[in-house]
Amino acid sequence: MDSTILYILFGTFFLLLILGAPITVSLGVAALATYLSLGENPMAFVQMAFTSVGSFPLMALPAFILAGALMEAAGISKRLVDIAEAFAGPVTGGLAAATVFACMFFGAISGSGPATTAAVGMLMIPAMANRGYDKGYGSAITASSGGLGVVIPPSIPMVIFGISGMGLQPPAEAVAAHGTFQTLSIPKLFIAGIFPGMVIAACLLTINYFISRKRGYRGLTDRWSFAQIRDTLRKGVWSILAPIIILGGIYSGLFTPTESAIVAIFYTIIVGIFLHKELKWIPAMRTLETTTWITGRVLLILFTATVFGRLLVEQRVPAYIAEVMLGVTDNLYLIWAMIIFFLLFVGMFMETLAAIMILTPVLLPIMYMLGMDPVHVGIVVVCALAIGFQTPPLGENLFVASGIGGASIEEISLKALPFAGASIIALFIIAYLPGIALWLPSVLGY
């Protein structure tokens, strides 16, 4: 490992960040400066970056973003919220609990944390305020639950992790020490995210119950109304079918994740126009604007982050970090703890997709050396960085919830701390018990 090259790579990167340059510019300029210092042809830089955005699985990214935006415009998200409220019934803090369930439902459609927070928050934050909930608390639990949007499949960060990790083969030393590793695929990541998402949701619901009981937040009704549940299910049957069709098609092998996103778009258009009759021309055009803006931003980051990550691998940075960590301890639980706290720190300051694209080439070879399953690693990485959606200073979900509810970022951040703590506890459970993520894929033959 040439230390001079690393000084140029990381020095340029952090200097540009400090000066306020966008993450894309910082990554691209740092990688290009390093290439030039190595005497490499800059055309190799461009070719490598172009290859990174030319993969077929990456087509799922804009398609899932568009599908999620269309489903909100078509009234699907509203009906999912109504179903969650009906099932919450008399449970203490029921409206907040319904918010968690609604984020799970919408997360099974959108694959985006901020999109889930916005779609559910527009309906639930005002509803909680009308029921006597503190605005800051309602915004906090919505922002915290919105992170489920990237854990419950389909998940855009899982797509990015899969694309970033599939090109990284296990080191020969790792294969010699631990044998052949399981393959990494996007459908397998999707399946593996179901139970971890439920574990995080359970921890959020538990914390919400105790806080709601202390604050006197009662349930929506005195008892469950089976007539209301039946009515909401009848009205929302087409909304419930959306995630079933998307995930069922992937897991049955009927179509790939990329193809499932296209199916979701056409399904939503048919439901929104002919069944719900709520999808209008102007909102539909706005979803295209949103999709273009988000996709363009992500592709620019991927373009530069791929080259940055390749330089890290070529300079054997992952191998060096693995040696340092193993020099400190060979206890797998302590190594997981160090990695988790590192990911939580990164998630506070860096956008999730950029962090995945930068860190995957570093972390995955390290975990291969420790004999870890790449799918399990991917789930932990995504879950850890998802917590960054609810932690300042970046905290995208906090800003979305603040804009909807009107509470200050400081107030929401403070009231989101118990939920962040619950999410971290869930994260350690998922990391220390790999069967939570890996059991379902193994049962389904992946």
Side-chain angles (χ1 to χ4, degrees):
M1 184 176 67
D2 189 341
S3 58
T4 304
I5 297 301
L6 292 183
Y7 290 143
I8 296 173
L9 184 65
F10 286 105
T12 306
F13 175 66
F14 287 115
L15 176 62
L16 289 170
L17 284 181
I18 292 170
L19 293 175
I23 184 75
T24 304
V25 174
S26 303
L27 288 168
V29 172
L32 182 58
T34 306
Y35 258 86
L36 293 175
S37 68
L38 288 169
E40 297 280 352
N41 186 344
M43 283 302 297
F45 174 97
V46 177
Q47 290 169 350
M48 191 184 304
F50 178 77
T51 303
S52 70
V53 297
S55 63
F56 177 74
L58 194 59
M59 291 175 60
L61 175 65
F64 274 128
I65 294 172
L66 179 58
L70 282 172
M71 286 178 181
E72 183 180 354
I76 289 177
S77 60
K78 181 181 182 302
R79 286 166 174 78
L80 291 174
V81 168
D82 291 340
I83 293 170
E85 288 182 355
F87 276 96
V91 175
T92 299
L95 203 52
T99 301
V100 178
F101 283 117
C103 286
M104 289 181 66
F105 290 151
F106 194 76
I109 297 171
S110 74
S112 166
T116 300
T117 302
V120 176
M122 289 291 290
L123 301 169
M124 299 303 290
I125 294 176
M128 282 188 275
N130 292 336
R131 294 280 299 188
Y133 284 71
D134 177 80
K135 277 188 177 181
Y137 182 79
S139 299
I141 192 167
T142 305
S144 303
S145 305
L148 292 170
V150 301
V151 180
I152 300 290
S155 163
I156 294 171
M158 287 183 191
V159 172
I160 298 300
F161 181 88
I163 293 169
S164 302
M166 282 190 286
L168 297 172
Q169 298 301 318
E173 305 96 309
V175 175
H178 304 287
T180 305
F181 287 85
Q182 294 291 320
T183 56
L184 178 64
S185 69
I186 294 172
K188 191 173 180 180
L189 283 166
F190 282 0
I191 298 172
I194 295 176
F195 283 165
M198 292 180 178
V199 170
I200 295 173
C203 289
L204 293 175
L205 289 169
T206 302
I207 292 295
N208 171 66
Y209 174 80
F210 287 111
I211 294 177
S212 297
R213 190 172 68 174
K214 181 179 179 180
R215 296 190 176 195
Y217 298 150
R218 301 183 61 188
L220 291 165
T221 57
D222 293 330
R223 59 187 178 84
W224 272 288
S225 170
F226 293 103
Q228 183 185 6
I229 292 173
R230 185 177 63 251
D231 187 53
T232 56
L233 287 174
R234 181 180 58 80
K235 292 180 179 178
V237 62
W238 299 110
S239 301
I240 296 174
L241 281 175
I244 293 175
I245 290 173
I246 294 170
L247 300 178
I250 296 172
Y251 301 157
S252 66
L254 190 61
F255 37 72
T256 66
T258 303
E259 293 165 345
S260 74
I262 306 301
V263 170
I265 291 171
F266 280 98
Y267 176 84
T268 304
I269 291 173
I270 292 170
V271 171
I273 295 176
F274 299 106
L275 299 174
H276 291 171
K277 300 180 180 179
E278 295 182 20
L279 185 60
K280 306 301 180 183
W281 179 255
I282 293 177
M285 290 300 101
R286 287 178 184 154
T287 64
L288 293 175
E289 293 177 11
T290 301
T291 302
T292 302
W293 182 80
I294 295 175
T295 303
R297 186 186 66 172
V298 172
L299 290 181
L300 282 173
I301 296 173
L302 179 60
F303 195 87
T304 53
T306 299
V307 185
F308 192 93
R310 180 71 65 86
L311 284 168
L312 292 178
V313 174
E314 289 176 354
Q315 296 302 313
R316 295 185 54 79
V317 173
Y320 175 74
I321 295 175
E323 290 174 9
V324 172
M325 292 178 66
L326 292 173
V328 174
T329 178
D330 59 356
N331 187 301
L332 187 58
Y333 296 110
L334 290 178
I335 292 174
W336 261 129
M338 288 190 287
I339 289 176
I340 286 172
F341 284 120
F342 172 69
L343 290 171
L344 292 173
F345 176 78
V346 170
M348 292 172 62
F349 298 96
M350 189 177 291
E351 199 268 340
T352 302
L353 299 182
I356 289 174
M357 287 182 275
I358 293 170
L359 296 177
T360 299
V362 177
L363 290 178
L364 199 53
I366 294 172
M367 302 314 287
Y368 274 135
M369 294 298 293
L370 297 170
M372 299 303 299
D373 188 290
V375 172
H376 181 220
V377 175
I379 295 300
V380 175
V381 169
V382 170
C383 290
L385 294 174
I387 297 175
F389 283 120
Q390 68 191 76
T391 53
L394 187 61
E396 293 174 77
N397 288 3
L398 298 176
F399 290 97
V400 173
S402 175
I404 295 171
S408 68
I409 294 292
E410 293 79 11
E411 181 185 0
I412 298 174
S413 300
L414 186 63
K415 291 177 179 176
L417 285 177
F419 299 110
S423 299
I424 292 171
I425 291 171
L427 178 59
F428 273 95
I429 294 172
I430 295 164
Y432 288 171
L433 300 174
I436 294 174
L438 300 179
W439 178 77
L440 190 57
S442 67
V443 168
L444 296 178
Y446 281 88

